[in-house]
Amino acid sequence: DLMDEFALGNYQLQSGNCPSARKTKERIAQLMYIPMIQGSLRYAYKVDKLQGGEKEKAEGAAFAAAVLPRVHAANSDAASKIYNNLRVGASSTNHQEVKAAFESVYPQLGLTCADIGGLWNEAEKSYYPGMGPCTDASTTKVVTETNSTLAIALGTTFGVLFALALIAVLYMRSREKKGAPVFKTEMVQNSAST
């Protein structure tokens, strides 16, 4: 999704559509927080439930530090909960509190539960307990609106192209009936030299 946004932004800039490119830039900035949130959630779970050591605590703190200013701008209480659970030297970590704090600010960050996903356990082919993706109403709404808009755009485009092709065929047919075809064939006479 992020690479698609980069490609779209590039196209918008090259075609001189600066207002749309600004909107795409904002969406790219929103999407760039996804891996930081995912990393914070992953290490909160590792430290809390999988007896993570100093390495896991440090990685959790690094991921959280990268996203905390943005979370704080959305909700200072949520940022405090994340900070207190993932800061360097935290006495304990409650992964559910961290997850709930992040989920509470997804709308303000321009993200959805589907953007973040869940923490997958490859060995068991399921999500870790309590770490499945959350659900929100905006996820269904976004998909429906996107699909409807795409269907309308494609339907209109192909309808117009079909109408233009039909008009061209009818025009050529009417010219042929009048004896003045659009495409004429020339007779080439071969004169044999003797």
Side-chain angles (χ1 to χ4, degrees):
D1 196 30
L2 183 59
M3 297 310 287
D4 293 340
E5 294 294 330
F6 280 130
L8 176 62
N10 185 33
Y11 171 76
Q12 291 166 335
L13 288 172
Q14 289 179 351
S15 63
N17 189 352
C18 293
S20 293
R22 284 184 194 96
K23 290 178 185 174
T24 301
K25 176 197 65 95
E26 292 301 319
R27 181 64 182 149
I28 289 170
Q30 292 168 342
L31 293 175
M32 291 178 76
Y33 285 105
I34 293 172
M36 293 176 239
I37 294 169
Q38 290 171 331
S40 298
L41 292 171
R42 178 175 186 230
Y43 287 103
Y45 186 84
K46 280 187 163 191
V47 170
D48 187 17
K49 294 295 181 187
L50 302 177
Q51 290 77 39
E54 290 301 314
K55 176 186 176 285
E56 288 79 10
K57 289 178 182 179
E59 289 189 46
F63 278 113
V67 75
L68 274 174
R70 181 65 187 98
V71 172
H72 186 270
N75 183 320
S76 60
D77 290 335
S80 293
K81 288 177 185 176
I82 295 166
Y83 173 76
N84 289 331
N85 279 283
L86 292 175
R87 67 181 172 82
V88 174
S91 59
S92 67
T93 300
N94 180 333
H95 76 282
Q96 287 296 355
E97 191 173 298
V98 172
K99 187 173 189 286
F102 273 119
E103 289 172 357
S104 73
V105 296
Y106 289 168
Q108 292 88 354
L109 300 180
L111 301 173
T112 64
C113 293
D115 291 330
I116 305 301
L119 183 57
W120 185 254
N121 183 340
E122 185 61 33
E124 295 185 15
K125 303 291 184 203
S126 64
Y127 292 103
Y128 282 98
M131 293 302 287
C134 62
T135 57
D136 54 22
S138 65
T139 304
T140 306
K141 181 180 173 187
V142 169
V143 170
T144 303
E145 286 179 4
T146 302
N147 289 342
S148 297
T149 304
L150 180 62
I152 291 169
L154 288 175
T156 303
T157 301
F158 287 120
V160 168
L161 290 174
F162 179 76
L164 289 173
L166 183 62
I167 290 170
V169 168
L170 291 175
Y171 173 75
M172 289 188 290
R173 186 169 181 219
S174 70
R175 291 276 311 256
E176 283 183 20
K177 283 186 177 181
K178 291 180 184 176
V182 175
F183 301 105
K184 297 179 183 177
T185 58
E186 292 186 28
M187 295 285 195
V188 179
Q189 295 179 342
N190 287 337
S191 55
S193 303
T194 52

